[in-house]
């Protein structure tokens, strides 16, 4: 039987579901990662602070009370921009830097595993995927589980610290906005994806012998693979 006519096993349903949930979670994470609406002020308060995200703050004629010069901060700028140089220490307390780190690592883990899962779903390269699929599934499961865990810590720390009075002034005038909500939803999607990937890894481990035999049929002239 030729290689082209062989009926190769397709990706399992658990892997397909896990990958789909991971892609949705990754998209939500990407939006939350980039958008500046983790915290927003109520419009009726006419606050000089407007909104912020992990990497951007927006003000309207904001005067920092502990800055000795009469300077107004206006508009939206990156947290590491020159404009915010004098108030960056106030803008980035330790707990927020931890959240930034956790979300960044989550972002890298999530999208790295999504690339691997895309190759699995396409069965490319075929022999490598068939031979090591159970190991690859374990890698996917670990990455997505770590992503879910770090996202949980991120939203928990941010949600519990955003109203601190040593950070944004008049915290009662602010509320958690939609970017934060997307981060929370992303956490849940990653957690559900991890469950599917766990079962995908178990199924791939149970079928590893069948995959080995299939690879041997693809190369009948070679010696038996030493697994």
């Amino acid at each position: 039987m030729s290689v082209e006519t062989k009926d190769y096993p397709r990706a399992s349903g658990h892997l397909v579901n896990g990958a789909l949930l991971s892609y949705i979670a990754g998209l939500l994470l990407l939006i939350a990662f980039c958008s500046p609406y983790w915290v927003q002020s109520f419009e009726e308060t006419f606050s000089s602070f407007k909104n912020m995200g992990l990497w951007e703050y927006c003000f309207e004629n904001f005067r920092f009370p502990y800055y000795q010069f009469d300077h107004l901060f206006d508009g939206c700028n990156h947290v590491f921009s020159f404009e915010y140089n004098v108030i960056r220490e106030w803008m980035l307390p330790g707990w927020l830097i931890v959240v930034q780190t956790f979300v960044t690592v989550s972002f890298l883990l999530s999208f790295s595993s999504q690339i691997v899962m895309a190759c699995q779903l396409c069965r490319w390269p075929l022999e490598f995927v068939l031979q090591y699929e159970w190991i690859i599934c374990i890698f996917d499961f670990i990455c997505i589980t770590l992503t879910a865990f770090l996202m949980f810590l991120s939203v928990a720390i941010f949600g519990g610290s955003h109203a601190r009075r040593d950070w944004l002034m008049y915290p009662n005038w602010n509320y958690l906005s939609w970017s934060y909500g997307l981060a929370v939803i992303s956490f849940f999607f990653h957690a559900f994806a991890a469950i599917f990937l766990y079962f995908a890894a178990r199924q791939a481990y149970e079928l590893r012998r069948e995959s080995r035999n299939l690879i041997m049929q693809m190369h009948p002239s070679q010696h038996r693979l030493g697994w």
Side-chain angles (χ1 to χ4, degrees), residues 79-116:
V79 292
F80 295 108
S81 65
F82 180 78
E83 172 70 11
Y84 292 153
N85 184 52
V86 295
I87 60 173
R88 185 172 300 119
E89 185 177 353
W90 167 73
M91 294 171 57
L92 294 178
W95 62 266
L96 183 55
I97 295 176
V98 171
V99 172
Q100 289 176 325
T101 302
F102 285 170
V103 175
T104 300
V105 175
S106 299
F107 182 87
L108 296 175
L109 288 173
S110 179
F111 280 88
S112 297
S113 61
Q114 288 177 43
I115 294 174
V116 174

Side-chain angles (χ1 to χ4, degrees), residues 174-227:
N174 307 323
Y175 63 95
L176 294 172
S177 194
W178 58 268
S179 294
Y180 175 81
L182 291 183
V184 174
I185 298 174
S186 177
F187 151 67
F188 281 108
F189 271 89
H190 277 107
F192 291 137
I195 296 174
F196 281 105
L197 293 173
Y198 168 76
F199 289 108
R202 286 189 56 180
Q203 184 177 359
Y205 181 79
E206 294 170 355
L207 297 176
R208 68 191 187 284
R209 294 185 181 275
E210 288 80 352
S211 298
R212 176 187 9 173
N213 294 334
L214 183 56
I215 295 176
M216 293 177 61
Q217 294 175 23
M218 295 168 59
H219 304 285
S221 60
Q222 296 181 1
H223 295 288
R224 184 179 181 84
L225 296 175
W227 288 17

